[in-house]
Structures are given as C-alpha cells and as structure tokens.
Amino acid sequence: FSDEFEVDGRSFKDGHDAIWTAVEGVPDKDQHNAYNSSLAYTRKGMLYLEASSDDWISPDASRKERHYQTANIQTWNKFCFTEGFVEVRAHLPGRPDVSGLAPRLWLAGNLGRASFPDTLEGVRPYSYNQCPSSTNRRANQYPERTQEFSKCGRGKGRGSPEISIIDGRPGREVYDYQDKVDSGACGPVDNETVALLRVAEPYSCSTLHVAPGLPPDSLDRPTPGCAPGTVTVPGGGAPRSQHYEALLPVASNYGDGGAYGTDLPVALNMEGYGEAGRVRGEATRSDALSACTMLGASHFEELHSWQAHWKAGEEGSVEFSLDGQRQYTVTATSVLGPERAVAFRDGDAAGTLLPRLVPEEPMYINLNVDLGPAWGWRSCDPRRCDCCTDCKRSSCTACLETQANGSVVNTR
C-alpha cells in the first residue's frame, strides 16, 4: 500500500475517501483543540495538515468551545495491516523553537478508534494473551477485570496497542538531568548517565505502548521524570533495576545490539513510562517503551523520511529510523517476552508479570496535529497571571513582573 497524495483537491470528510477519514469536532473532552476536516487536503502532490487559531464552537446543543483547530486523518476500519515497514516523508509544522504544536504519526490496533475514548476503555493499549493464576493476578493488573478482550473470559487476549513513529515536541528548552539531581527531584547518577539523559527541544519520541505494564503500585516502576533506580526486594533477594535492563541509559545499550542507535542523538524518554488509567474501579498502568531523538531546524523546513520496521509476535521487534539511521529498537526477547518478578510498595514481593507481545493486531494509521500536553505556560502561577492559552487575548500572552531595578518585564 502506498498513498502519494498526487491528486489535488482530495476531501477526507467522512465518506469522501476510500482510505482516510478526517475526524471532526471534539470527540475527546480533554483535548485542547477541535478537529476540522477541511484542514486536511492535497495540493501540488502533497498532503497538508493545517493548524488554525480560529475559534471553534460545536454546532450541537453542547456548545463546546475551543480556540484552535487542527487536522486528524485515520485509516480506521478502512486500511489495516499486521507487520511490515512504514515510511512517511514529511516536515514538521511550525517553527522548531516555538512550543505548542504536537505532530504525530502512529499506528493503533483496529479494535479501538483513537480520539474516541469510549471505544478504548479496557482495550488500549493491550497486547497481552495470558490468563494469570491467582498468585500473579495483581502483578498483571487483574486482566479478567481490566482487559475487555481477555484470555480469561474470551479464550484469546486482544486489544489496541500503539506504535508511535513521530511524536514531535518543538521548543527551546534544554533538560539537564544534573539539575534534577541538584534539586533533589531525582536520585544521583554517574556523569556518563547524566550525559546520556540530556534532552534538548526540539525532539520527537518513538514509542511502543503496551498493556499491562509494570503495576502502578510496583517498586519496579520508575518515578516519572527520573532515571530508573534500583529495587530493593522486600524480604531479601538480590537488588535489581527498575524499568527494563535492555532500555536503561547506559553505554552498553547504545550501538549494535543495543536499544539505542548512535548515528543520531537519542535518549531514554523518562517523562511518563506509561499512562495511568482506571477500568472498572481498578487502577491500571501501561508501559510506554520510548526514546526521544533530538531534531534540528531542517526537520521543520525540509522533507525527511520517518520509518518503523514492525515484526509481530513472541520474537518480534519494532525498529524506528529517521532518514535510514536507526533511532531505537524494542524487542520481545529482551523487554516484553521474559517474565518479570514484581515487588509492591506495601511489602508484597509475590507475583510475576507475564510476557506481553510485540503487537499482533491489525493496525491502522493515524496522522494528526494536536496542541501538546505542555501547551501554555509550563510554570504559570495563577495567583500572579492568567494561565489561559488563547493567544488572541492579551491576558494570555502577558505576565508582567517588576524587576529589582524597578523595570517591568513581560516574562512571556
């Protein structure tokens, strides 16, 4: 399958195209922007996904309002595939040094439809075909209750895992891990690890999302924003690393045979390690097995090739590349396949997280531009300034502070 978008004037409104459907409106109440199908179009042999600062108000009785509109197209229920090589030539939107826009290219299992939360509960991002014994149910987050299509009840475990190829974050922030150590937010690490964890915007993250992940109350799950530490097992036993050995930010995991490539500046993504949720009253946590590649201005000005090579199953892998240079690889044999002992914060050391799968589900393609979760003023204090995000209002773009010399400065 190939779509070169060479025909001008294609419409992606629902029912207009044989392959793609543009999402309309605000199907997810938590999103900052509305989707407008007219912002996805073809011209001069290219696909354009636009973002607009025009206000949007829903035409129905709910009268939802958003201050930005963007484009989101999907092949859900039209084109799916299992395994293969995915490539898109694209340049990212906006300026590399201005944060806010979040361009994405990703695959998702067809059992759920992205952007429509009601279709995803108990489905996203499961890639799991196990029915654990009573001893291991807690370590596997009770799949008989939390996984909609569980092997325990339906004979085969299924779900809607995700493979995120582009997850862009423009800006000009530089994140020095030593600052986190010095502030006491994260524990000390050696100088080599500090260097490997340095991240500078703009960057794009490549991620395999699977569930169940390491449980939310597990000692094995790292603190978001911090490097994986060491687990001291209750009741004795040899200490072990949090997260997964093959993905740790150490020199031996870089280069041939390691998770991280060396041709591009790549670092472990520490921001989340997986999403928190709640299904039928149970707290759940997925695993986000993720690395971020630092970008340059050319990625926002010229076409580059973004690639993923996906091999499904118990011995499968996902390899991410940019312009043919390897960024990051996740394998079943080193990360998802081995059983993992789990220790809990309440002192319970019993339980084993059973193998997950590199996705075997038929998956569809998503291309969209959103406003990023960090959109707005990251360190805004509502007691001093308005923390709104509508750039058309002066109260949202100005935060005046009086300096020691008496001058008044707009800190934004």
Side-chain angles (χ1 to χ4, degrees), residues 175-181 183 185-187 189 197 199 221-228 268-274 285:
Y175 303 93
D176 188 332
Y177 195 77
Q178 190 61 48
D179 293 340
K180 295 184 176 184
V181 175
S183 70
C186 299
V189 295
L197 291 174
V199 177
R221 177 169 287 280
T223 301
C226 294
L268 170 70
N269 182 3
M270 302 176 292
E271 289 308 307
Y273 295 111
R285 200 78 184 232

Side-chain angles (χ1 to χ4, degrees), residues 108-345:
N110 200 64
L111 281 180
R113 187 179 184 189
S115 300
F116 293 82
D118 290 346
T119 73
L120 302 174
E121 183 175 346
V123 175
R124 175 186 179 271
Y126 278 92
S127 189
Y128 183 73
N129 186 30
Q130 305 280 352
C131 186
S133 66
S134 58
T135 303
N136 292 324
R137 283 177 186 162
R138 184 182 181 190
N140 291 267
Q141 302 184 56
Y142 305 101
E144 70 278 8
R145 298 201 295 267
T146 59
Q147 185 180 9
E148 181 68 25
F149 299 93
S150 169
K151 184 175 182 179
C152 301
R154 304 205 182 211
K156 180 174 176 60
R158 298 191 61 192
S160 180
E162 293 181 10
I163 298 173
S164 181
I165 303 168
I166 301 174
D167 193 349
R169 184 162 169 172
R172 51 181 180 267
E173 296 284 340
V174 176
Y175 303 93
D176 188 332
Y177 195 77
Q178 190 61 48
D179 293 340
K180 295 184 176 184
V181 175
D182 293 343
S183 70
C186 299
V189 295
D190 58 44
N191 291 336
E192 179 184 71
T193 302
V194 168
L196 292 174
L197 291 174
R198 184 181 183 277
V199 177
E201 295 175 343
Y203 59 78
S204 176
C205 298
S206 306
T207 310
L208 173 59
H209 295 270
V210 296
L214 292 166
D217 52 349
S218 166
L219 292 169
D220 297 84
R221 177 169 287 280
T223 301
C226 294
T230 300
V231 178
T232 301
V233 182
R240 61 173 180 265
S241 295
Q242 292 179 320
H243 201 46
Y244 299 95
E245 291 278 355
L247 306 182
L248 296 180
V250 295
S252 59
N253 284 336
Y254 280 74
D256 293 344
Y260 306 97
T262 55
D263 293 328
L264 299 165
V266 181
L268 170 70
N269 182 3
M270 302 176 292
E271 289 308 307
Y273 295 111
E275 294 185 10
R278 185 166 291 276
V279 180
R280 300 184 183 93
E282 291 289 345
T284 60
R285 200 78 184 232
S286 63
D287 272 345
L289 309 172
S290 183
C292 300
T293 302
M294 278 140 277
L295 306 176
S298 75
H299 296 98
F300 294 78
E301 299 165 352
E302 304 168 4
L303 294 174
H304 289 262
S305 293
W306 309 77
Q307 302 136 338
H309 188 189
W310 163 32
K311 180 182 177 182
E314 295 178 355
E315 297 184 358
S317 62
V318 181
E319 181 173 291
F320 301 95
S321 302
L322 175 55
D323 293 328
Q325 296 179 307
R326 187 172 74 91
Q327 299 165 280
Y328 177 58
T329 306
V330 179
T331 67
T333 53
S334 63
V335 180
L336 298 176
E339 294 185 351
R340 171 67 179 261
V342 175
F344 293 96
R345 299 186 186 281

